[in-house]
Amino acid sequence: MILSLLVVISIWVAVGLLVWRERAESLRTSALLTASLTRVVAERMDRTLFGIDRLLKDSITLLQAREDVHRDILINQMRVRSADFTELRNMFMLDAGGVVRISTIASLEGADLSHRSYFQDLRTGGGQDRLIITSPLLSTATGRVGILALRPLFDRSGAFDGAVAAVLNPEFFTDMLGGVMSTEVDRSVIANLNGDVLARLPGQSSDAVASIRTGPLFSEQLPRSRSGTFIAESAFDGKKRMASYIALERYPVVVSVGVTVEAALRRWTFNALVIAVAGAAFTLLVAMIATLLDRRDRAQSRAAAALIASEERYRTLVEGQKDLIHRYLPDTTLVAFNQAYADFHGQPRAVLMGKKWLDVVPEPMRADILAALAEMTPSSPTHEDLRKVPRPGDGVERWIEWRTTAEFDEIGMLLGFQTIGRDVTDAHAAEQANAEREEIYRQIFHHNPAVKLLVDPATGMIVDANESAALFYGYPVEMLKSLRITDINILPPQQVREEMAAVEREERMFLRFKHRLASGEIRDVEVYSSPFHAGGRPYLSSIVVDVTERNRFEAELAARSAELARSNAELEQFAYVASHDLRQPLRMVSSYVTLLGRSLADRLNPDESEFIGFAVAGVKRMDALILALLEYSRVGRANEDRGIVDLGEAMVEAAANLGLGSQDVEARLEVEGTLPMVMGVRGELVRLFQNLLGNAIKYRHPDRAPLIRVGCRQDGGEWVVWVEDNGIGIDSKYFDRIFMMFQRLHAETEYEGTGIGLSICQKIVRTHGGRIWVESEPVQGSRFMVAFPAVDRTAGLSKPVPASV
Ligand code: ADP
């Protein structure tokens, strides 16, 4: 603004100077013009007066040379000579008394002009030989105005002797001035040295008597210099005028040509106006430019302020970033970076600045990085990659996503790079975990032989289905995913929805439905369904098991079991009835054979008595067998309720039943530890131990007293109880056979028995959900093992059994 003000001031100073100079120039030009015109007039004036003066001098010479010169000759010569001068009106000669003696106009001769001031001047001139020029004078003789040029005459003694005069036409002077008048020159004057105006343009009526004696020319200029130019207020019209003047050297005449200052400056006024207008226009232009510049400056300063603010914002933004922002030269010399980047390096900013970051990159990575940087061009100035790098600060490996932008100048020279690194380790880990979960889901859901459906419980839409489902239902997976569960479940949709709602409420997770396949076939399915939420939406995950075959099989099995149970019952009924009813005739046979034996006792020879004895024994054995059979058939049909049975107590009772511990039985029983509680029928369990203990006593070794050891151990989900003896033992090839009905390893005569005891044991154990087997070493002894399903691990219900009874 100040600058433009200065420019404007300068412009106007220049305009002022220019106008001033122009004014001075105009005045100078006018001065030159008036001076040269004045000179022209002066020269012509001088020449004319020279001619007139010559004429006067010649006339004087003529007069003085010949005193007796004849008046007529003189007049004639005057006439002849004056004919050469158009300006010359007439000539005459005055005598010392002022009377006209000789005149080219005869009527003038004799006229007394002694009263004329010029005559007075000549007479009192002190003998000075000079030319006098009068003011325009009215001739009384001719009645015309004329200007007289006079020269005095002197006699031989040098005394005044009259004068010679030439009368000049004033118009001649006026014409002489007219030649120089122009638009430039508005006033010109010729005057004698008295200040009498001889001629003047423009003319005035009073000119005849005008005098400029008191004007500035005569009062100021002429006393100083014979010629010059000056500016002064005109005595005639009061206008300021510039005038040049010359006082002729030889003649008493002053010539002056003038122009009003106004006229002299007319051109200048116009020029000054033009200059001023130009100056004003220029000022306006400058003002406009200044305004525009100012506006631009303001806009620029606003933009600069905005830029600074935005730079500041950018800086704070960059500083606040967790991203690793850094700028560097082509050789990776760091020139700028944010705090996060410095922290990443674990170094103070001042230390890091100016370092090449490539130096801290592990050697094997460098080539790759340099290649990536070198590949960047002005048309492709960006590069992105994901790299796992050791954090220079602590060496911890991080996944960083690097985004690099190369910067080029306008001719494509590489200036440097800016890189933004984002630590995506966590995101990467999360991504990998997601991918793993996806894979797990894919494996569990899709790559699975089980038929799986994912259902939206709100709409019933099948959201996802696996290949097994596609195979089972006969629809492609994509098609399955466009179906609703109600499209394949044959139940009414409302009921299906209710079932799904129950699953969603986790009231049910196992459902039985009938599903329709693409072929139209209806299959029985079991659906294991569980609700879960993912992404805020509920889903039902269902495993569909085709149980059509199993159902059919189960139905068949059930029918067969029913049939079997019925026939078993029939058989058992038959066995019971048979064994029960068979004993009656057996008893009769036995009684009557015994009676027959007794009545025929003295008549029978020893062989016959022995036969009768065999018959009775056979009958008894048959009875025992039937009894055993009866007992076998009763196992599992006991009236007694099932309950928790303390095996320790059952063992004690069985031992007591056998009379173990009494004087009659020499066998010893040792129980180790505490026998467990099992779920079962007490009477049958007593029976089981009774059979096992009984056999241990029966199959004793002949050389040693029987020792029975009872023990137990928990083995997984079962209790194993054993009864071990030191008897004759069993060959391992009979281990299975001994549990079969009526299978015995010894003759009846050797060891009494029916071969059904262990069969009963096995039946009891099986009806209790257990197993029985034997371990034995012949001659050493046998160990019968019984495994029961464990009922309760808390030992609160069991009671210790005495170590020995
Ligand atoms: P029984 O004892 O009436 O013959 P079991 O069914 O009780 O019928 O036994 C079948 C067979 O197993 C017996 O004949 C015997 O040979 C064998 N046996 C059973 N217990 C023992 C044992 N503790 N020691 C040796 N052998 C035995």
Side-chain angles (χ1 to χ4, degrees), residues 119-391:
F119 182 75
Q120 302 297 328
D121 282 350
L122 283 171
R123 202 170 56 185
T124 57
Q128 222 180 336
D129 185 13
R130 55 179 177 133
L131 184 75
I132 285 182
I133 301 215
T134 68
S135 61
L137 299 171
L138 183 68
S139 167
T140 46
T142 60
R144 292 199 296 182
V145 174
I147 294 167
L148 273 64
L150 300 128
R151 259 196 181 270
L153 288 170
F154 299 101
D155 61 15
R156 293 222 174 109
S157 62
F160 178 71
D161 195 28
V164 184
V167 180
L168 301 171
N169 187 353
E171 280 171 19
F172 162 71
F173 293 93
T174 313
D175 287 348
M176 192 173 284
L177 288 178
V180 298
M181 287 301 281
S182 69
T183 47
E184 306 290 333
V185 174
D186 70 340
R187 188 165 290 272
S188 53
V189 67
I190 300 172
N192 62 16
L193 285 182
N194 290 330
D196 302 322
V197 173
L198 308 183
R200 172 162 45 196
L201 279 178
Q204 279 181 359
S205 56
S206 59
D207 278 357
V209 289
S211 169
I212 55 169
R213 190 179 184 81
T214 54
L217 175 59
F218 277 80
S219 58
E220 290 166 23
Q221 302 300 321
L222 275 176
R224 264 186 249 150
S225 168
R226 292 191 63 83
S227 67
T229 302
F230 66 96
I231 292 173
E233 213 160 88
S234 168
F236 292 104
D237 52 15
K239 283 187 181 166
K240 211 162 192 196
R241 196 165 267 118
M242 169 188 274
S244 291
Y245 68 94
I246 295 175
L248 301 187
E249 290 272 334
R250 297 181 287 192
Y251 307 106
V253 170
V254 174
V255 174
S256 174
V257 173
V259 60
T260 55
V261 171
E262 188 192 334
L265 293 180
R266 195 166 292 137
R267 180 180 290 275
W268 166 78
T269 312
F270 176 74
N271 283 352
L273 201 70
V274 168
I275 291 169
V277 167
F282 201 64
T283 304
L284 201 69
L285 195 71
V286 167
M288 274 166 65
I289 289 172
T291 312
L292 284 177
L293 283 178
D294 187 49
R295 248 185 234 170
R296 202 195 61 184
D297 280 359
R298 273 164 205 248
Q300 266 177 356
S301 56
R302 268 204 305 275
L307 192 69
I308 289 168
S310 112
E311 278 278 332
E312 182 59 28
R313 275 202 300 278
Y314 176 73
R315 212 180 57 75
T316 9
L317 202 70
V318 164
E319 272 313 315
Q321 285 296 320
K322 283 190 195 146
D323 288 347
L324 315 172
I325 302 174
H326 53 299
R327 294 165 70 86
Y328 48 92
L329 302 178
D331 66 352
T332 80
T333 299
L334 290 166
V335 291
F337 47 84
N338 65 352
Q339 191 56 45
Y341 187 75
D343 294 344
F344 181 73
H345 279 265
Q347 288 197 352
R349 302 185 73 133
V351 174
L352 199 57
M353 187 63 80
K355 292 264 164 64
K356 291 181 188 169
W357 60 255
L358 195 68
D359 292 347
V360 298
V361 171
E363 186 67 43
M365 288 181 153
R366 288 186 198 172
D368 272 3
I369 291 171
L370 284 175
L373 292 181
E375 260 174 32
M376 295 161 87
T377 60
S379 57
S380 154
T382 55
H383 179 77
E384 285 186 20
D385 63 4
L386 180 67
R387 260 180 288 132
K388 193 179 191 179
V389 296
R391 187 159 53 196

Side-chain angles (χ1 to χ4, degrees), residues 695 698-699 725 728 730 738 743-746 753-755 757-758:
N695 278 353
K698 182 162 48 167
Y699 298 105
D725 62 47
I728 57 170
I730 305 161
I738 55 172
Q743 293 297 324
R744 306 199 68 230
L745 303 181
H746 306 279
T754 56
L758 286 178

